[in-house]
Amino acid sequence: MMRKIILKFTFCSLLLCFSYKANAVSLSTLEESLSESFYGTEDADEGLTVFRSLLIPFGGRTESLGLAYTGLCDDISYLQFNPAAASIQKETQFSLFHNSPVADAKMETLAFTTRLKKLPDLGWGAYASCFYVPFSEYNMFGEKTASSYYSETTGCFNFSYNFLSGYDFKGLCIGANLKAGWRSVPDYADDDTNKIIEGSGLEQSGLALMADMGILLQFNVLKYFASREPNLRIGISVKNVGLSYTGFGNEVIKDDSLPSSINGGISVRPIKPLIISLEYSQPVNFYDLSTFHTPYIGSGIGFQFTKSISLLGGFAMKGGNPRISCGFEFEYQKLQMNMNYTLDFTTSAAPLNKISISAKILLGDKGRASVEKQIDEYYSQGLIYYSEGEWQKAIEMWQEALKLNKRYDPAILGIKTARLQTEMFENIQKSLMFE
């Protein structure tokens, strides 16, 4: 059944690609008119920061949801949006991402995250990402004198902790990313001799040292379906705070500012298969706080048709550049795949542009689900004892549940109630004996 569904989706995707090609002229005309409409919302200071690849999403799920992810972070893509979410990931995850943001540019990412078995509220992760684009130099006669790649490589280590996590209040997650980036500029040729100048690219290469910080809150609000997962999340993050340097091989100097931002997001699940997310991002120049950039906004919606198939869509506005995205997500055993297409003003409306793909391998939850199941069994047995008037046995069952999770609120409340019942019964017995 799964294989038939995937084949049908692939066939429909191919048809969609050909239809895009057939209507290229009309789409280009529409794109041009839309570009003129949004011209007044562009940021005059856009592009004055370095390491712009930090603004390119890994791809996959985050692209499909219109980059509205700071307040959701339900998979490994949290590493790029809110570092606080490592401590709430359900399973250990290993992921590969491929994103083709524009023309010949590509970005490849390898990521991993897990939670500790003995400290389930502590999570950590890491990723390595490389953005690269072909670099060719031609002389005044049109002859190629140099050919290589311009690239930006980023490495990150992440950690977070979920404080005061319980059954009703899901806790306050706090986390941080420590990141380093390297901008590699290839050597270029001398205009007169057409010979490669050794070390010329190194002078324009750059090093960035930066950090991200984030918090994430989880609640249950107007929740009308059964699930341990909260239906409302709120996240705040500060990204790419740090310094960059250039001029290696000559005189090392401070480079332009990094693409830093303050971000806030919210996600809500009104019904179990539906998720809605919203995002607001304010770029900040920490070199000069008096300058203000145009904020970004994003929104996303996802609907899970079956346990393994979801459709996603999103809209984002970044500096006068509206982005419309759609994605398809499916899971087969322990493998999750996402395919996404994004249409914006940075490229033509062609089916092979702006495509991103992600593959995520789920490596288990280190026994957390079995522990939760055991807690539920203890609690259910305690309810049976309580209904039969065996209050002491009910207390013992609920105490066993608390040994596995000391913040399991139903067991805490049950013990208090059972003890009140025991005290009340003992007082009644004493009163009857006195009479």
Side-chain angles (χ1 to χ4, degrees):
M1 183 64 180
M2 173 60 67
R3 188 172 300 172
K4 290 182 179 179
I5 292 173
I6 295 173
L7 289 174
K8 287 180 180 179
F9 174 78
T10 305
F11 179 72
C12 292
S13 300
L14 291 173
L15 289 178
L16 181 62
C17 291
F18 286 120
S19 66
Y20 260 115
K21 202 70 176 179
N23 294 283
V25 176
S26 59
L27 283 172
S28 298
T29 304
L30 175 62
E31 193 175 18
E32 182 179 353
S33 62
L34 285 173
S35 180
E36 293 176 355
S37 301
F38 288 100
Y39 179 77
T41 62
E42 292 182 353
D43 189 347
D45 296 325
E46 183 68 27
L48 298 182
T49 55
V50 293
F51 285 90
R52 302 286 294 175
S53 63
L54 293 169
L55 298 176
I56 301 174
F58 291 162
R61 186 171 177 80
T62 56
E63 283 262 53
S64 300
L65 290 170
L67 308 182
Y69 210 66
T70 299
L72 179 56
C73 293
D74 57 357
D75 81 336
I76 196 170
S77 298
Y78 80 86
L79 284 164
Q80 202 177 27
F81 285 81
N82 192 340
S87 55
I88 61 169
Q89 298 303 306
K90 288 184 177 180
E91 297 193 46
T92 297
Q93 302 165 55
F94 176 79
S95 293
L96 297 170
F97 297 90
H98 168 78
N99 196 355
S100 178
V102 61
D104 294 328
K106 303 290 188 293
M107 190 166 83
E108 318 294 346
T109 304
L110 183 67
F112 175 82
T113 187
T114 189
R115 287 163 61 184
L116 299 186
K117 185 173 183 179
K118 294 184 178 181
L119 292 173
D121 288 324
L122 179 64
W124 67 273
Y127 76 82
S129 183
C130 181
F131 168 82
Y132 58 96
V133 61
F135 175 88
S136 297
E137 183 182 0
Y138 297 85
N139 61 19
M140 60 184 298
F141 301 105
E143 300 171 335
K144 183 182 292 187
T145 58
S147 180
S148 185
Y149 282 90
Y150 169 90
S151 66
E152 293 182 4
T153 303
T154 304
C156 168
F157 177 76
N158 160 261
F159 57 92
S160 80
Y161 193 86
N162 189 10
F163 294 91
L164 304 176
S165 62
Y167 185 85
D168 293 326
F169 177 63
K170 301 300 181 178
L172 170 64
C173 302
I174 299 176
N177 288 339
L178 300 178
K179 301 190 295 185
W182 175 255
R183 178 179 71 240
S184 177
V185 178
D187 292 340
Y188 52 85
D190 184 88
D191 292 336
D192 297 325
T193 63
N194 292 334
K195 292 183 178 180
I196 301 296
I197 304 173
E198 294 294 333
S200 56
L202 182 62
E203 294 180 5
Q204 299 183 38
S205 297
L207 173 67
L209 301 173
M210 60 205 131
D212 305 333
M213 292 151 283
I215 62 174
L216 187 68
L217 289 168
Q218 305 178 92
F219 306 94
N220 284 320
V221 177
L222 300 177
K223 184 177 178 182
Y224 301 108
F225 57 91
S227 173
R228 280 183 176 270
E229 295 298 311
N231 70 331
L232 178 68
R233 290 180 178 179
I234 299 174
I236 299 174
S237 67
V238 181
K239 299 193 299 184
N240 304 322
V241 180
L243 298 171
S244 61
Y245 300 91
T246 188
F248 296 94
N250 187 8
E251 180 183 358
V252 178
I253 59 174
K254 187 169 71 172
D255 206 347
D256 294 331
S257 64
L258 296 168
S260 308
S261 63
I262 300 174
N263 317 276
I266 184 172
S267 67
V268 62
R269 194 180 293 274
I271 57 176
K272 194 169 185 178
L274 177 65
I275 185 72
I276 301 170
S277 61
L278 300 171
E279 177 104 359
Y280 179 88
S281 179
Q282 176 61 63
V284 178
N285 183 352
F286 285 102
Y287 288 2
D288 184 6
L289 294 176
S290 63
T291 59
F292 295 94
H293 298 273
T294 302
Y296 305 159
I297 58 173
S299 61
I301 185 169
F303 192 86
Q304 187 175 17
F305 288 93
T306 69
K307 185 179 180 180
S308 57
I309 299 176
S310 300
L311 287 182
L312 310 170
F315 174 82
M317 174 66 74
K318 300 188 68 175
N321 183 17
R323 298 162 49 97
I324 301 172
S325 57
C326 60
F328 171 81
E329 199 170 59
F330 68 90
E331 180 178 340
Y332 179 70
Q333 294 184 352
K334 289 296 183 179
L335 175 66
Q336 288 186 351
M337 295 286 295
N338 178 285
M339 292 171 282
N340 175 78
Y341 176 78
T342 299
L343 176 64
D344 63 10
F345 293 160
T346 62
T347 186
S348 61
L352 297 181
N353 288 332
K354 304 294 291 182
I355 284 180
S356 67
I357 300 173
S358 69
K360 178 172 59 180
I361 302 174
L362 305 178
L363 301 175
D365 64 356
K366 297 186 177 180
R368 287 188 295 272
S370 60
V371 171
E372 291 179 352
K373 182 179 179 181
Q374 183 63 61
I375 291 172
D376 290 340
E377 291 177 358
Y378 283 139
Y379 181 69
S380 298
Q381 186 60 48
L383 289 176
I384 294 173
Y385 285 138
Y386 184 88
S387 65
E388 295 173 350
E390 300 285 346
W391 298 312
Q392 187 56 43
K393 290 184 178 180
I395 290 173
E396 292 173 358
M397 284 292 101
W398 291 332
Q399 286 175 337
E400 291 297 320
L402 291 178
K403 289 179 181 179
L404 299 176
N405 183 356
K406 63 181 179 180
R407 295 194 179 93
Y408 189 69
D409 298 306
I412 295 173
L413 180 61
I415 290 174
K416 290 181 179 179
T417 305
R419 284 175 175 168
L420 287 174
Q421 289 281 14
T422 302
E423 292 177 3
M424 182 176 64
F425 184 75
E426 290 176 351
N427 290 334
I428 292 174
Q429 282 186 323
K430 291 178 180 179
S431 176
L432 291 175
M433 290 177 61
F434 177 77
E435 290 180 359

